[in-house]
Structures are given as structure tokens and as C-alpha cells.
Amino acid sequence: MIDKKVVENLVNEWLTDRDYFLVSVEVSTDNRIVVEIDHADGVWIDDCVELSKYIEERLDREVEDYELEVGSAGLGQPFKVPQQYHNFVGKEVEVMDAQGHKVHGLLQDVNGEEFTVTVKEKVKTEGKKRPQMQDVPHTYNMNQVKYTKYLISFK
């Protein structure tokens, strides 16, 4: 089986001096390699092809055959690395917390492993008969949510 670390090292070599970042590398027992990269402005197919060729030139199919797929992390897919959170600050996201509760809101801030999402909620205000809609901040730890993903809007 092809070593995942070898593939990660090859990807990281290719990423040097580029604005792309590695999201994930998966290597199955039957040597199916899936590499996901991302970029703040999106991923270009030409760069996926270039990375694929880079990896293919450095892995020997004569020693061990493999299937290689290189692509982007994909919009609407759960975030896998902190850099994805940074790329979507100011955008609408969906978060499912560890208890299974979903919230939709604006990703306001990312600080280390924590991120804050502002959610519109009805809040009882003193002196008002009815609850008022307000922006309420919710702070989460990246490692303690089931997922966070960008909400695609066609408005």
C-alpha cells in the first residue's frame, strides 16, 4: 500500500510558494489516492492537473499501481482544516454542534481552534412585549462540532 505520508510530502512540496493549501489526503487499501486542495479564490482545474502530474512523476507505477484523483474540497462540503474557516469569514455557514443542533449564521471570527457565528434569534428585551430579532454570537471549538459548511446562496 502506498504510504499516505509520502503523498502528503509530495503535495506539500508542490504547494511551496503557492497560495493553495492541503485539505486532505486519503489512501485506501487498494491504492486509491484522493487529494483535496483549496484556495481562498477557488481551485483551478489546471492546477489540479499540474499537481496530479507532479505526484505521478514521483510515484512509480511499476513498483505499486494506484489510482489518483486530485480536486478541490468542494463548496458545500464540511470544513476539514482551519484555513477553510478563515477563508469563509463574513460568509453564511451552517454549524451542527456536538448535540446535533443546527444553526445558520454569519461566520464572524476565527481565533485559533475557536470560531464565532452570529445567528439571528428572537430575544426578549426589557420593556418590550414581544421578543425582538437580534444577532446573537455563538462560539464553538472546531474539534467539538459535527460539521461546519459554507451555505451556498443563489440570491
Side-chain angles (χ1 to χ4, degrees), residues 6-24:
V6 169
V7 178
E8 284 177 353
N9 289 338
L10 291 173
V11 173
N12 285 322
E13 284 173 18
W14 183 85
L15 291 173
T16 304
D17 299 328
R18 290 183 169 87
D19 291 331
Y20 283 95
F21 58 93
L22 177 60
V23 174
S24 70

Side-chain angles (χ1 to χ4, degrees), residues 24-111:
S24 70
V25 171
E26 307 278 330
V27 180
S28 67
T29 54
D30 61 346
N31 282 340
R32 182 170 186 268
I33 304 167
V34 179
V35 176
E36 289 183 344
I37 58 173
D38 208 348
H39 186 283
D41 298 326
V43 176
W44 295 92
I45 188 72
D46 293 346
D47 292 324
C48 291
V49 170
E50 184 181 323
L51 175 55
S52 180
K53 287 179 182 177
Y54 185 87
I55 295 168
E56 287 175 354
E57 289 169 357
R58 286 154 181 82
L59 293 179
D60 189 353
R61 285 187 192 272
E62 299 299 320
V63 173
E64 200 162 12
D65 197 24
Y66 59 89
E67 176 185 346
L68 176 62
E69 178 183 325
V70 175
S72 70
L75 282 177
Q77 296 298 313
F79 298 166
K80 295 179 182 175
V81 295
Q83 184 60 42
Q84 290 176 295
Y85 287 85
H86 289 282
N87 287 353
F88 288 96
V89 168
K91 308 282 188 198
E92 291 287 325
V93 295
E94 175 180 281
V95 178
M96 181 180 282
D97 67 18
Q99 292 75 38
H101 300 108
K102 281 185 193 178
V103 296
H104 296 180
L106 193 69
L107 181 56
Q108 283 297 131
D109 185 44
V110 180
N111 187 357

Side-chain angles (χ1 to χ4, degrees), residues 135-150:
D135 290 332
V136 178
H138 293 260
T139 301
Y140 302 95
N141 186 298
M142 292 175 196
N143 298 320
Q144 295 175 342
V145 295
K146 290 187 178 180
Y147 69 79
T148 304
K149 61 184 178 179
Y150 171 64

Side-chain angles (χ1 to χ4, degrees), residues 117-140:
V117 176
T118 303
V119 180
K120 293 212 178 286
E121 296 178 354
K122 288 185 179 181
V123 177
K124 180 75 174 137
T125 331
E126 195 173 318
K128 303 277 185 180
K129 286 187 176 184
R130 296 176 176 251
Q132 305 291 311
M133 290 299 282
Q134 294 182 3
D135 290 332
V136 178
H138 293 260
T139 301
Y140 302 95

